Amino acid sequence: MEVDSIGIASDHAGFFLKEKIKKLLAGKVEIKDYGCTNSESVDYPNFCQTLALDISKRKTQAGIAVCGTGFGMSIVANKFSGVRAYCPWDEYTCKMGRLHNDANVLCLGARTLNHDRALDLVNLWLSTSFDQSNEKHLRRLDKITQIEKQTLKSH
Ligand code: RB5
């Protein structure tokens, strides 16, 4: 994926993995941290919403969102037009989400993934490009955009 900057967000469950991901990416891409700022209990929608809104408005190019399972973050992120969030659990699913779905938000479960494995998934997500050469994938993403227009998604 060709990005200069990415946004990152977590709730309390994802806080420590978020900090590890920031260390991993330091010096490679610009990172905008959308919180949270410590491991005290918070509500994941608050932190994912600001990240997803910026991606939807194209103020941020792509994002990583970490919670206990990744599910809450992906549910919130996918409410926003232009956001394609997913929760890969291994190398294959991570790669396919980029190749076929152009997934621009990587959601990770800090309680469900080994953290070293999660860091490997971050590298794989960032280094895998959408397969633009295949017309059928472009057509399917266009259909998602049409669905977004028909429904009342934000932005
Ligand atoms: C927090 O306990 C947990 O529910 C949250 O991090 C997340 O897993 C929700 O999807």
Side-chain angles (χ1 to χ4, degrees), residues 11-14 44 67-73 111:
D11 69 354
H12 54 289
Y44 61 84
C67 63
T69 56
F71 295 157
M73 291 301 202
R111 292 175 177 164

Side-chain angles (χ1 to χ4, degrees), residues 6-154:
I6 61 165
I8 189 164
S10 78
D11 69 354
H12 54 289
F15 173 71
F16 291 112
L17 179 55
K18 173 168 73 73
E19 296 307 302
K20 289 181 192 174
I21 295 169
K22 282 164 59 185
K23 271 192 194 142
L24 173 78
L25 297 181
K28 295 179 189 159
V29 286
E30 190 188 323
I31 302 161
K32 183 172 177 190
D33 190 343
Y34 289 80
C36 62
T37 54
N38 58 51
S39 60
E40 281 173 33
S41 185
V42 290
D43 296 335
Y44 61 84
N46 298 345
F47 300 91
C48 192
Q49 180 179 13
T50 49
L51 167 65
L53 186 60
D54 271 5
I55 293 170
S56 189
K57 289 181 165 177
R58 298 171 193 263
K59 289 183 180 173
T60 299
Q61 293 173 295
I64 298 173
V66 192
C67 63
T69 56
F71 295 157
M73 291 301 202
S74 66
I75 291 167
V76 173
N78 280 319
K79 301 291 180 201
F80 292 81
S81 291
V83 172
R84 292 175 299 280
Y86 77 142
C87 301
W89 59 90
D90 63 8
E91 285 69 19
Y92 178 77
T93 53
C94 188
K95 213 169 170 172
M96 294 308 285
R98 287 292 309 134
L99 284 171
H100 286 195
N101 312 112
D102 198 13
N104 54 10
V105 176
L106 173 68
C107 298
L108 297 170
R111 292 175 177 164
T112 56
L113 290 169
N114 171 287
H115 285 197
D116 288 335
R117 185 180 190 84
L119 296 178
D120 287 343
L121 296 182
V122 169
N123 280 327
L124 188 57
W125 174 72
L126 268 178
S127 62
T128 307
S129 294
F130 174 54
D131 181 8
Q132 296 197 38
S133 66
N134 195 326
E135 193 275 330
K136 70 183 178 189
H137 300 316
L138 288 165
R139 185 180 68 239
R140 291 165 186 167
L141 291 193
D142 278 348
K143 290 190 177 187
I144 294 172
T145 304
Q146 291 311 313
I147 292 167
E148 287 173 346
K149 284 179 183 163
Q150 286 160 19
T151 60
L152 289 175
K153 280 185 131 187
S154 307

